[in-house]
Amino acid sequence: MEFNHTSVLLEETVNGLNIKPDGIYVDGTLGGGGHAYEVCKQLSQMGRFIGIDQDEAAIEAAGSRLRDFGEKVTIVRSNYCDMKSRLRELGIDKVDGIVLDLGVSSYQLDTAERGFSYRADAPLDMRMDRRQPVTAKDIVNGYSEKDLFRIIRDYGEDRFAKNIAKHICLAREKGPIETTGELAEIISHAIPMKIQKTSGHPAKRTFQAIRIELNHELDVLRDTLDEMIDLLNPGGRICIITFHSLEDRIVKSNFKKNEDPCTCPSDFPVCVCGKKSKGKVITRKPILPGEEELSVNSRSKSAKLRIFERR
């Protein structure tokens, strides 16, 4: 299947980077290269672009799409959590902008055998990096009922998490759960029909939770944000697109902390903690897709863009 992914909030993100033609820019979730292409169009021959992605199909698609930009583009197969070390290997200590387009791509959802979608019956996979040995099948069949409940509750924010975990454990007693179709069917039996009629597909939240757990998505984001902000040159910006409240909460909180890290009590006349601001939040409220984008790309409806500028 051809790699096909419509970049969300494309114009808003590229404009938000405030691109310098001679600057160095990094996309930590390169995907098919949609954002990358628009960034590279604005770079001079002195500019440089580094694209990072852990998905082999994305690397191949982006490489083809960005081929005309020649040596100004470098593509690396890695997780963005290793951005700092990968940049150092390329002789880069600081950059002028970073983009993260989080979540799962249209290609990954639409390629049934990747196991991300609850709408097709395929092996339980969900790996963003297919080099890793653990798959969604291992989580579904190997986690305790308590741990399944925890991830479905915390990462899926599903109020029926306890019942879903119970149904999964009962089902796997008869034999391992092998496919997305099997899992989706089990989940549907754990949620009251009257709820299903008004709340979308019953498996949506559980599939999200398993995917996040398997790929350590929130841990990577939480643990890497400070480091990415430190990579920015003065005036450099980081633009992050999130697709659910868990990601957005982490980004919002981190940006706020880096803008105002002071831990002194509010009644102190002057700061004595010594913590200095790293920059400013550009987006007091997240940027959302407009009506035109929503009309052509339904997957953009939950997208939020937040931007931070380095001091």
Side-chain angles (χ1 to χ4, degrees):
M1 179 180 178
E2 182 182 355
F3 194 105
N4 184 31
H5 177 66
T6 303
S7 298
V8 174
L9 291 163
L10 179 59
E11 183 178 347
E12 295 86 346
T13 302
V14 175
N15 289 342
L17 284 171
N18 200 19
I19 294 172
K20 302 172 183 177
D22 295 344
I24 301 174
Y25 293 86
V26 183
D27 189 334
T29 52
L30 182 60
H35 290 104
Y37 187 86
E38 296 302 320
V39 172
C40 289
K41 279 167 58 176
Q42 297 189 37
L43 296 180
S44 70
Q45 288 304 312
M46 298 296 293
R48 194 167 180 189
F49 181 88
I50 295 88
I52 299 172
D53 206 292
Q54 57 188 331
D55 191 308
E56 184 179 17
I59 293 289
E60 184 178 344
S64 176
R65 189 170 193 173
L66 303 175
R67 185 177 296 123
D68 290 346
F69 295 107
E71 293 184 357
K72 73 172 68 172
V73 174
T74 303
I75 297 177
V76 181
R77 187 177 182 188
S78 186
N79 189 299
Y80 70 82
C81 68
D82 297 320
M83 185 182 294
K84 184 177 181 179
S85 60
R86 294 292 175 263
L87 289 175
R88 282 187 173 175
E89 290 169 3
L90 296 170
I92 299 170
D93 292 321
K94 295 287 184 179
V95 301
D96 297 292
I98 297 171
V99 174
L100 292 183
D101 180 358
L102 302 174
V104 63
S105 71
S106 303
Y107 169 82
Q108 289 167 331
L109 284 170
D110 294 339
T111 306
E113 61 264 29
R114 297 297 297 270
F116 285 101
S117 177
Y118 43 78
R119 299 188 184 279
D121 193 26
L124 273 168
D125 194 327
M126 300 194 198
R127 292 172 296 171
M128 290 185 173
D129 187 342
R130 300 182 85 174
R131 295 172 297 183
Q132 75 173 61
V134 180
T135 68
K137 178 183 173 182
D138 297 307
I139 291 176
V140 170
N141 292 286
Y143 274 32
S144 67
E145 183 175 335
K146 180 180 178 181
D147 283 337
L148 286 172
F149 163 62
R150 172 184 57 80
I151 66 169
I152 297 168
R153 178 197 63 194
D154 294 349
Y155 297 159
E157 298 182 296
D158 197 312
R159 60 182 167 137
F160 296 101
K162 190 171 185 178
N163 205 35
I164 294 170
K166 179 181 178 181
H167 274 68
I168 289 173
C169 290
L170 287 172
R172 71 191 190 191
E173 287 178 1
K174 303 171 185 176
I177 301 167
E178 303 278 356
T179 71
T180 54
E182 290 175 52
L183 180 59
E185 182 70 16
I186 292 163
I187 295 167
S188 70
H189 291 308
I191 299 177
M193 186 55 66
K194 63 180 181 179
I195 301 296
Q196 295 187 35
K197 290 179 179 179
T198 58
S199 302
H201 199 287
K204 180 179 181 178
R205 292 177 179 271
T206 298
F207 271 58
Q208 172 182 292
I210 294 169
R211 191 199 81 220
I212 289 173
E213 172 73 6
L214 175 66
N215 296 289
H216 308 290
E217 293 174 40
L218 299 185
D219 293 335
V220 168
L221 178 63
R222 189 183 296 109
D223 295 344
T224 313
L225 276 170
D226 287 341
E227 189 173 83
M228 287 190 289
I229 288 174
D230 288 341
L231 283 170
L232 294 171
N233 281 317
R237 291 184 174 186
I238 180 169
C239 298
I240 302 181
I241 303 169
T242 63
F243 288 88
H244 56 75
S245 61
L246 299 171
E247 293 172 336
D248 183 60
R249 208 173 297 147
I250 291 170
V251 175
K252 179 182 178 181
S253 175
N254 180 275
F255 282 5
K256 183 179 179 181
K257 178 198 74 175
N258 276 287
E259 179 180 58
D260 182 14
C262 179
T263 55
C264 296
S266 57
D267 57 350
F268 273 31
V270 294
C271 173
V272 296
C273 71
K275 296 180 178 178
K276 304 296 183 183
S277 171
K278 292 183 181 179
K280 62 181 179 180
V281 177
I282 300 299
T283 48
R284 293 300 163 188
K285 291 185 178 181
I287 298 172
L288 307 177
E291 290 184 11
E292 183 177 349
E293 179 168 4
L294 289 170
S295 68
V296 297
N297 184 8
S298 61
R299 286 174 178 161
S300 69
K301 64 182 179 181
S302 59
K304 294 180 179 180
L305 169 64
R306 294 188 185 271
I307 305 170
F308 184 89
E309 182 177 284
R310 190 74 162 93
R311 189 181 300 281

